[in-house]
Amino acid sequence: MKQTMPIDGKFELMIYSYSPDELAPAISAETIGYHHGKHLLTYVNNLNAMLPGSPQEGKSLEEIVLNAQGGMLNNAGQILNHNMYFEQFRAPVENNVPTGRLALVIDHDFGSFEAFKEAFVKAGATLFGSGWVWLSANAEGKLVITQEPNAANPIQKGLRPLLTMDVWEHAYYLDYQNRRPDHLNALWQIIDWDVVAARYDEV
Ligand code: MN
């Protein structure tokens, strides 16, 4: 996976490629504003404040996630998770389906795209508390769905992360309140499968 390097010792708030009102009704502009502009920004500021003089100073975000502990690991993990999350969306598309080699592998490993979506939403809906549901590839290229608690990322298990849904309440509560499965199902319309397929094809 591509390494995210600090610039002049600091990580920057990622910039997404859509406008904040384009993802509704899956995600409202208000939720994007808080989620990206407040929650993610806080993780970025927290990590940047911890780096000077630490063993992780100058390391990539991915290296920090693999080697740090405690608050540094939690903030770095949340930046990596949110960067991948906000990068993978685009304006809603009807009949939005995977592209490229990834589409074939999803059919092979899960039986069908519909079966994959059902298993993925079930994993997200049943994750207790805060965390993330992920689609990743293992070392053999086989696809796996994992539930990761809090700030964890599949790279900590040696997996290559491809797609994620955030099930922390801050990701959906303004728009969907307690209806987490409805929010997760709505996200399928806004997944940019070209981004996800590129992550799969990346060596
Ligand atoms: Mn979040």
Side-chain angles (χ1 to χ4, degrees):
M1 116 186 257
K2 273 184 289 189
Q3 302 289 303
T4 310
M5 299 306 298
I7 298 168
D8 293 332
K10 290 183 181 299
F11 291 98
E12 297 189 336
L13 181 64
M14 65 82 69
I15 298 167
Y16 48 78
S17 62
Y18 35 86
S19 66
D21 57 359
E22 269 188 308
L23 305 185
I27 307 175
S28 68
E30 187 183 21
T31 290
I32 292 278
Y34 282 104
H35 198 182
H36 177 269
K38 304 283 187 194
H39 290 277
L40 177 53
L41 180 62
T42 299
Y43 298 129
V44 172
N45 290 340
N46 287 347
L47 180 62
N48 285 336
M50 293 176 194
L51 285 174
S54 87
Q56 308 304 332
E57 190 174 9
K59 301 281 179 62
S60 73
L61 190 58
E62 291 77 8
E63 284 176 295
I64 297 172
V65 169
L66 291 174
N67 294 302
Q69 292 176 349
M72 190 172 289
L73 170 58
N74 285 334
N75 283 285
Q78 283 294 71
I79 299 168
L80 181 59
N81 294 345
H82 284 94
N83 286 358
M84 296 191 72
Y85 175 80
F86 285 113
E87 276 166 9
Q88 69 184 12
F89 296 131
R90 64 179 170 202
V93 173
E94 266 187 61
N95 301 316
N96 192 20
V97 295
T99 52
R101 208 158 53 99
L102 178 63
L104 302 176
V105 181
I106 286 175
D107 283 346
H108 179 269
D109 289 353
F110 296 100
S112 68
F113 180 50
E114 289 305 315
F116 158 70
K117 286 198 294 185
E118 192 177 321
F120 194 87
V121 168
K122 185 177 178 192
T126 58
L127 195 164
F128 187 78
S130 295
W132 301 76
V133 57
W134 288 90
L135 175 69
S136 301
N138 69 13
E140 290 78 43
K142 183 180 163 56
L143 300 178
V144 291
I145 295 170
T146 63
Q147 297 172 317
E148 305 295 342
N150 301 313
N153 184 286
I155 65 172
Q156 296 167 292
K157 297 174 172 171
L159 297 170
R160 200 151 51 88
L162 306 173
L163 167 75
T164 190
M165 292 186 186
D166 186 345
V167 301
W168 285 59
E169 284 188 345
H170 67 223
Y172 61 87
Y173 212 83
L174 287 174
D175 304 331
Y176 287 83
Q177 296 79 48
N178 62 317
R179 292 174 289 117
R180 187 196 284 184
D182 291 352
H183 168 69
L184 299 181
N185 277 311
L187 289 177
W188 295 119
Q189 298 167 29
I190 59 166
I191 299 297
D192 187 339
W193 284 105
D194 292 340
V195 169
V196 181
R199 290 173 182 165
Y200 184 74
D201 291 333
E202 196 177 89
V203 177

